[in-house]
Amino acid sequence: AQTVTQSQPEMSVQEAETVTLSCTYDTSESDYYLFWYKQPPSRQMILVIRQEAYKQQNATENRFSVNFQKAAKSFSLKISDSQLGDAAMYFCAAPKNTGNQFYFGTGTSLTVIP
Amino acid sequence: DAGVTQSPTHLIKTRGQQVTLRCSPKSGHDTVSWYQQALGQGPQFIFQYYEEEERQRGNFPDRFSGHQFPNYSSELNVNALLLGDSALYLCASSLFGTLAGGQETQYFGPGTRLLVL
């Protein structure tokens, strides 16, 4: 079965420190996008970062960066200089093998400790 | 530039009733996907609309149906509501693309919280 796995249901980080959230996925496609989304208590899904699988360079958006290992089908999110506003659920999303849909992982709940 | 909008924000229905949820995509987007998110879980794909047609469907019964209008807005209809249909319903819009997943980046609306009693 095709899945997206987030193995860390909960993570915590001290304010200003760095944390890495892990994600693995399963696809037989060669060209695709991967996404990390943030969902705060308001439950609005907010795009954090996008990785294009055909690009070897890891995506970066300000304090957010990814470590993309295509062969290992691993797509982790690194948050540097963590801020209180980073506290949220984080979801990884990867495409289904065929068709136009994405699978989401079960999420990682991030707590930022002041 | 307006983002994705959804209405209503909250809804309470009773078992057996029917509900219609609405979504307006981000300006310039042509593809709308609907997701169901139960409490404590990730979003589950319901279906996707492009060019007014259902292009892909997830593992949801026929009680879930939809429509896309010429202005790209979309509706999600759920008939014969069950208690288990209580969830956050998310709409996401994107540009139809050619990479796996068939679309460019999805942007989500704020969701509609449906409670079935």
Side-chain angles (χ1 to χ4, degrees):
Chain A
Q2 194 169 357
T3 59
V4 176
T5 302
Q6 293 182 251
S7 59
Q8 307 149 315
E10 297 179 350
M11 292 282 285
S12 62
V13 62
Q14 292 281 349
E15 194 176 3
E17 296 296 311
T18 296
V19 64
T20 299
L21 311 182
S22 66
C23 173
T24 58
Y25 60 95
D26 180 21
T27 183
S28 59
E29 297 290 341
S30 58
D31 291 335
Y32 50 90
Y33 294 118
L34 298 165
F35 302 92
W36 276 98
Y37 285 90
K38 167 185 176 181
Q39 189 176 45
S42 68
R43 302 195 77 185
Q44 167 91 54
M45 293 284 276
I46 301 166
L47 176 68
V48 174
I49 199 164
R50 180 182 87 170
Q51 174 73 44
E52 296 160 8
Y54 53 90
K55 289 187 177 179
Q56 293 187 350
Q57 185 175 6
N58 288 327
T60 300
E61 286 287 342
N62 301 314
R63 297 182 296 107
F64 299 88
S65 61
V66 301
N67 182 4
F68 174 51
Q69 303 290 330
K70 190 173 182 179
K73 296 179 183 175
S74 170
F75 178 55
S76 61
L77 175 69
K78 185 171 83 170
I79 306 174
S80 303
D81 186 25
S82 296
Q83 300 176 359
L84 295 178
D86 295 334
M89 283 290 289
Y90 286 81
F91 292 97
C92 167
K96 190 177 185 289
N97 272 343
T98 58
N100 306 328
Q101 60 178 283
F102 281 86
Y103 285 115
F104 283 76
T106 52
T108 296
S109 177
L110 179 66
T111 300
V112 180
I113 302 166
Chain B
D1 179 22
V4 181
T5 61
Q6 292 185 244
S7 63
T9 56
H10 296 81
L11 207 50
I12 300 174
K13 292 286 188 178
T14 56
R15 279 180 299 175
Q17 286 190 310
Q18 179 264 343
V19 67
T20 297
L21 310 182
R22 296 176 177 84
C23 172
S24 291
K26 184 178 170 65
S27 178
H29 284 181
D30 57 11
T31 302
V32 173
S33 301
W34 286 92
Y35 292 85
Q36 181 194 67
Q37 186 180 22
L39 201 60
Q41 298 184 18
Q44 299 292 316
F45 177 78
I46 302 175
F47 44 53
Q48 181 188 81
Y49 278 85
Y50 169 66
E51 292 186 334
E52 301 180 47
E53 290 186 10
E54 183 183 293
R55 296 288 174 161
Q56 194 72 20
R57 189 178 185 92
N59 189 26
F60 279 81
D62 291 344
R63 298 187 298 108
F64 290 77
S65 63
H67 188 76
Q68 186 180 35
F69 300 93
N71 66 353
Y72 307 117
S73 67
S74 177
E75 289 182 349
L76 164 65
N77 301 292
V78 187
N79 295 322
L81 283 167
L82 303 174
L83 296 179
D85 294 332
S86 296
L88 178 70
Y89 289 84
L90 294 166
C91 167
S93 77
S94 59
L95 278 172
F96 193 83
T98 56
L99 295 189
Q103 60 197 293
E104 303 287 331
T105 304
Q106 294 183 91
Y107 294 89
F108 284 82
T112 293
R113 302 187 192 200
L114 173 64
L115 177 62
V116 182
L117 301 176

